[in-house]
Amino acid sequence: MKTIINGIKNENPVFVLFLGLCPALAVTTKIENAYMMGFCVLIILLFSNFVVSLIKKIVPENVKIPVYILIIGTFVTIVELLLQNYVPALYKALGIYLPLIVVNCIVLGRALSVASKERVGKSLLDALGIGLGYTIALILIASFREILGSNTITLMDGLSSLTGYRAIYKLPTSNLFPMNFLISPPGAFFTLGIFAGIINYIRGEKDESN
């Protein structure tokens, strides 16, 4: 359990380690895009860490990075094909950031730093913690940006072709909403800064109290 909590809080990929920021900033204009990108990264982390941990002893040191990238790329391709065939609207919304998971520092970094050194169980727990931490971070950023920037909550839109159900909620209008700049690129950096500052302040306060 400590390994999972560590990935969510102490080594959160977005708010603490500042990894995988391109998709975290680009796709978080809608909550649906955020949790689906996070889910894709989580699934790829789990499968790639599992395979890397299994074969770590038989992969020569001088070729392990190309081998790990090949493993990650295989799972990314599988996820891409599934989304393209079953939820094309969502596949289009995630765009280039889906195939770029192949070179995402989070996935390759955990393969090198954890899965290539630890047993399978520990590698899977690490992938789960980091994947959940990444997903939660994207959902927080997207919720702030979409609610304040678009005055909507999009829980299911692109997935509707698969589920047959749409869940898009329009919020009551006020003088504050929408703050359109939040769904622009500068708004993404602004939102990231707010959450990173808050979370690292809380972590710092807890460290001092200990």
Side-chain angles (χ1 to χ4, degrees), residues 7-189:
I8 296 173
K9 185 178 69 172
N10 298 325
E11 291 189 50
N12 187 281
V14 177
F15 297 140
V16 179
L17 302 180
F18 296 101
L19 298 174
L21 293 185
C22 287
L25 298 175
V27 306
T28 51
T29 53
K30 291 183 178 180
I31 296 172
E32 182 188 39
N33 295 350
Y35 72 69
M36 281 305 300
M37 175 59 79
F39 179 72
C40 290
V41 171
L42 172 60
I43 292 299
I44 292 164
L45 267 169
L46 284 169
F47 280 101
S48 59
N49 268 23
F50 175 73
V51 174
V52 168
S53 184
L54 280 179
I55 67 170
K56 61 180 181 290
K57 293 183 179 180
I58 63 174
V59 178
E61 185 72 20
N62 60 331
V63 296
K64 68 179 183 179
I65 292 180
V67 170
Y68 296 167
I69 290 176
L70 180 62
I71 292 168
I72 295 167
T74 300
F75 291 118
V76 170
T77 302
I78 292 171
V79 170
E80 270 195 279
L81 291 173
L82 288 173
L83 291 181
Q84 188 174 14
N85 282 280
Y86 294 102
V87 280
L90 193 57
Y91 171 78
K92 185 177 180 180
L94 298 180
I96 189 62
Y97 300 99
L98 194 58
L100 282 179
I101 294 174
V102 174
V103 290
N104 192 309
C105 296
I106 300 170
V107 183
L108 182 58
R110 301 323 281 189
L112 289 169
S113 63
V114 178
S116 64
K117 300 174 183 178
E118 301 288 349
R119 56 185 174 80
V120 172
K122 177 70 179 291
S123 300
L124 288 174
L125 287 175
D126 179 79
L128 183 60
I130 293 294
L132 286 174
Y134 188 70
T135 304
I136 291 169
L138 262 61
I139 292 172
L140 285 174
I141 293 172
S143 298
F144 186 86
R145 294 182 69 194
E146 183 180 7
I147 291 171
L148 296 180
S150 299
N151 201 29
T152 59
I153 298 176
T154 305
L155 299 180
M156 194 173 297
D157 185 18
L159 283 171
S160 61
S161 61
L162 181 65
T163 63
Y165 176 74
R166 296 183 78 217
I168 305 174
Y169 303 100
K170 185 75 175 175
L171 300 177
T173 305
S174 74
N175 293 330
L176 293 177
F177 300 3
M179 300 170 64
N180 294 321
F181 82 97
L182 287 175
I183 57 176
S184 67
F189 283 100

